[in-house]
Amino acid sequence: MKKKLNIEGKNNKKIKNYLNHGASQRKNVFKDMPDVLNSPDVDIGYAKRILMARAREMYKGNSLGLGAIRKIRTNVIGPGLKLKSVIDDEFLGITPEEKEQLEKKIEKIWRLWAENTECDSARFSNFYQIQSLAFITSLIDGECFTLLPYRKRAGELFELKIQLVESERCCNPISSGYDNRIMNGVEVNEKGEVVAYWFVNDYYSVKPIKWQRVEAFGRKTGRKNVLVVMEKERIGQRRGIPLLTPVMEDILQIGRYTKAELMAAVVSAYFSVFIENESEETEGQGFGDEPISEEKRIDNDNKRNFELAPGAILDLAQGQKISIADPKRPNTAFDGFVRTMAMQIGTALELPHDVLLSLFNTSYSASRAALLEAWKMYKTRRQWFVSDFCTPIFEEWMDEAVAKGYIDAPGYFENKLIRRAYLGCEWYGPTQGQLDPLKEVTAAKLKVEEGFSTRTKEAAEMNGTNYMDNIKQRVIEEKQRGEIGGTKVSNDE
């Protein structure tokens, strides 16, 4: 039984105002709203599997849900985030020339591993394809778990492998009972630190269900054994939620509405005529009551379907009349309604509706503003993904590359600060769309001239290329143009 609060008196005036507004328990608008606080584990844990199942279904069978996730993936990851080694030459005490040579060597050896399927524990994808899969999984399921096992296989340069794990495999073991240290498959200690993850073997196999405890960090080295790509939104949150969670109902209803409008438009495209009998006496006496001959049928399974011929004159019995189906489609309000709903969905997903629907038919300024707004979200998610996935894997790879002698890095294992100086890196991927390339290039040129940016950065952000590689290629091309031009001149002479 709920106690009635005493809200009389001046001291409780604010409480009374709150209860009359946002904290009201009497207004119907708050009827289905919760009035009890729960921990993130409770809020997410009970609904986690249902949300994942529904998000996966929307990704498979709803054009708006599929389009939103793929659009974010394409702009954040695209064909893959490429490594740019950035060594701290001042700390290491090396010359700029030595720094450049070492960075090139690191990037070259990295590509031998990243562009090959040997990096995949399943030998199926290269590192850039794994990036895409991990990112999409994190959007659909709410997080993506990654293990970094070492496996020695014939003919491969590195033993480090990347193994992605389905989100539903991280769950509480049955034997744990009620232990608040283990929630949703994530185990923490008394300090609140994540110490281990519990993974069940493949649900879909015939093997008995078993759980394996994987420690989050190595006991001796502190190595990350499990990487988790997840957007954390609450303190103490252990698991993520699907990106489409707040807009699931909206997307589902729009999908149903779209299909209904499409069916109505299809029906409208047919010229359908119904024969109505105004009285029972006319039944069996006029047109449409007797089975149609086989040569006049348009559907052999329905003996009462009749195909109208041009200029046909039909004889109707007394009491019968023709009714023409008119669903009044296409619906002129359909486009405006869908756009309005797309605005609401886009607000929750941080995607302007112009970008979500790929409609850039307004002014240049409005379209550019929409792209810039979306690009803020793309850059944020890319930075999170780099921190949670790309950089930790590069660090693990670098450890093995130095240990095997592929890369000469004096003091790498002896001094942690020196190791950090070697591990500096940047990642470049898809660039921001350009509505007016001339304006974009002019702006980049001015930023470089005024010292606000560098040619290397602008080249990477504008078209994803390496500035030094561009310079070298230009030298080759200009040399070839000179040779070809010289040949032409001699031939003319």
Side-chain angles (χ1 to χ4, degrees):
M1 182 177 180
K2 293 184 179 180
K3 294 182 179 180
K4 186 176 181 180
L5 295 177
N6 181 12
I7 57 176
E8 300 297 332
K10 295 181 178 179
N11 294 334
N12 295 320
K13 187 176 181 180
K14 287 186 177 180
I15 298 178
K16 186 175 181 180
N17 289 336
Y18 294 151
L19 291 177
N20 286 336
H21 295 91
S24 173
Q25 295 180 336
R26 297 189 300 269
K27 294 182 178 180
N28 290 333
V29 69
F30 298 114
K31 183 178 180 181
D32 296 327
M33 294 291 289
D35 54 6
V36 178
L37 296 177
N38 292 317
S39 69
D41 293 324
V42 173
D43 285 342
I44 296 174
Y46 293 151
K48 175 66 176 176
R49 298 183 66 83
I50 298 176
L51 290 174
M52 283 172 33
R54 291 177 178 175
R56 291 180 182 182
E57 185 62 29
M58 288 188 175
Y59 179 77
K60 292 187 296 182
N62 187 286
S63 58
L64 204 56
L66 172 67
I69 290 177
R70 283 191 173 177
K71 189 175 292 291
I72 296 175
R73 184 280 312 269
T74 299
N75 287 276
V76 174
I77 305 297
L81 303 180
K82 303 299 190 297
L83 170 72
K84 174 66 175 71
S85 177
V86 183
I87 296 174
D88 191 339
D89 55 330
E90 293 183 1
F91 186 87
L92 295 175
I94 60 177
T95 64
E97 291 75 16
E98 292 174 330
K99 164 187 166 71
E100 182 181 356
Q101 291 178 1
L102 186 54
E103 288 175 346
K104 287 182 178 180
K105 185 175 183 180
I106 291 174
E107 293 169 7
K108 184 174 293 185
I109 298 177
W110 164 263
R111 288 195 295 269
L112 295 177
W113 181 76
E115 296 177 357
N116 197 294
T117 57
E118 81 167 69
C119 65
D120 186 6
S121 63
R123 294 182 175 182
F124 189 83
S125 305
N126 61 31
F127 181 64
Y128 307 113
Q129 293 168 330
I130 294 175
Q131 286 180 5
S132 177
L133 179 58
F135 187 74
I136 279 186
T137 301
S138 69
L139 295 181
I140 298 175
D141 293 344
E143 76 274 298
C144 178
F145 295 97
T146 306
L147 306 181
L148 300 176
Y150 280 87
R151 296 175 186 171
K152 190 173 184 178
R153 298 191 296 217
E156 296 185 345
L157 296 173
F158 292 87
E159 297 176 25
L160 176 65
K161 310 301 174 192
I162 304 173
Q163 180 180 353
L164 303 184
V165 182
E166 288 274 24
S167 296
E168 69 264 25
R169 292 182 58 186
C170 183
C171 56
N172 287 8
I174 297 177
S175 59
S176 67
Y178 180 77
D179 186 353
N180 58 4
R181 294 179 306 168
I182 306 176
M183 293 292 291
N184 303 323
V186 183
E187 180 181 343
V188 299
N189 59 17
E190 61 278 2
K191 298 178 181 179
E193 302 171 341
V194 176
V195 295
Y197 296 88
W198 291 83
F199 295 105
V200 70
N201 62 344
D202 194 352
Y203 273 117
Y204 313 108
S205 67
V206 295
K207 298 179 181 179
I209 296 179
K210 295 181 180 180
W211 275 264
Q212 180 180 358
R213 182 179 184 272
V214 180
E215 294 187 353
F217 301 92
R219 294 183 181 181
K220 296 182 179 180
T221 62
R223 172 185 185 266
K224 289 184 178 180
N225 296 324
V226 182
L227 305 180
V228 184
V229 180
M230 181 185 82
E231 182 180 357
K232 195 171 183 178
E233 298 177 314
R234 288 185 60 184
I235 300 172
Q237 181 179 343
R238 306 188 201 183
R239 300 291 298 272
I241 60 174
L243 175 71
L244 301 179
T245 297
V247 294
M248 278 187 178
E249 184 176 359
D250 295 338
I251 292 178
L252 180 64
Q253 296 290 29
I254 287 181
R256 291 173 175 172
Y257 173 62
T258 302
K259 290 180 180 178
E261 286 291 337
L262 177 61
M263 181 57 66
V266 171
V267 172
S268 179
Y270 291 102
F271 184 77
S272 302
V273 176
F274 299 95
I275 307 299
E276 295 184 13
N277 293 318
E278 296 182 349
S279 64
E280 296 181 358
E281 297 179 358
T282 59
E283 185 175 353
Q285 300 178 4
F287 173 77
D289 294 310
E290 296 296 332
I292 301 170
S293 59
E294 186 173 351
E295 62 273 9
K296 295 183 179 180
R297 292 180 202 162
I298 58 173
D299 185 1
N300 288 328
D301 294 329
N302 191 333
K303 298 181 179 181
R304 295 185 181 274
N305 271 358
F306 186 80
E307 183 175 5
L308 294 179
I313 300 177
L314 304 177
D315 184 19
L316 299 179
Q318 185 177 0
Q320 287 186 326
K321 66 178 182 178
I322 290 178
S323 177
I324 300 176
D326 183 15
K328 302 186 184 303
R329 289 299 188 275
N331 184 0
T332 56
F334 174 77
D335 183 65
F337 177 77
V338 171
R339 288 198 186 194
T340 302
M341 293 303 301
M343 291 181 187
Q344 297 186 26
I345 294 173
T347 300
L349 302 181
E350 297 182 275
L351 277 175
H353 78 284
D354 309 59
V355 179
L356 180 61
L357 300 177
S358 297
L359 289 174
F360 301 102
N361 51 9
T362 55
S363 65
Y364 170 83
S365 300
S367 298
R368 177 168 172 74
L371 289 174
L372 289 175
E373 193 67 24
W375 193 249
K376 295 177 185 177
M377 180 266 292
Y378 298 148
K379 290 179 67 176
T380 301
R381 290 192 176 276
R382 179 182 297 178
Q383 186 58 49
W384 290 344
F385 186 77
V386 164
S387 300
D388 294 341
F389 189 82
C390 298
T391 299
I393 291 177
F394 168 69
E395 293 176 355
E396 287 291 324
W397 172 89
M398 188 70 172
D399 289 348
E400 185 179 0
V402 175
K404 288 182 177 293
Y406 296 150
I407 297 173
D408 184 21
Y412 184 88
F413 292 110
E414 289 76 17
N415 190 312
K416 293 181 179 179
L417 293 177
I418 292 179
R419 177 176 178 270
R420 286 292 176 186
Y422 281 110
L423 291 176
C425 62
E426 296 176 351
W427 299 84
Y428 294 99
T431 59
Q432 183 178 340
Q434 300 177 14
L435 295 178
D436 191 332
L438 179 59
K439 292 182 180 179
E440 305 289 344
V441 172
T442 302
K445 180 182 177 182
L446 289 175
K447 285 193 291 183
V448 172
E449 291 176 352
E450 295 298 328
F452 300 139
S453 184
T454 64
R455 289 182 172 87
T456 299
K457 183 174 183 178
E458 291 303 319
E461 292 186 349
M462 186 163 294
N463 52 24
T465 60
N466 183 285
Y467 177 72
M468 296 307 299
D469 291 341
N470 292 344
I471 292 295
K472 292 179 181 179
Q473 184 62 30
R474 283 192 60 196
V475 171
I476 295 174
E477 292 176 354
E478 293 301 322
K479 182 179 179 181
Q480 291 176 345
R481 286 184 62 188
E483 293 175 353
I484 296 175
T487 302
K488 287 183 177 180
V489 173
S490 61
N491 290 338
D492 291 340
E493 293 176 352

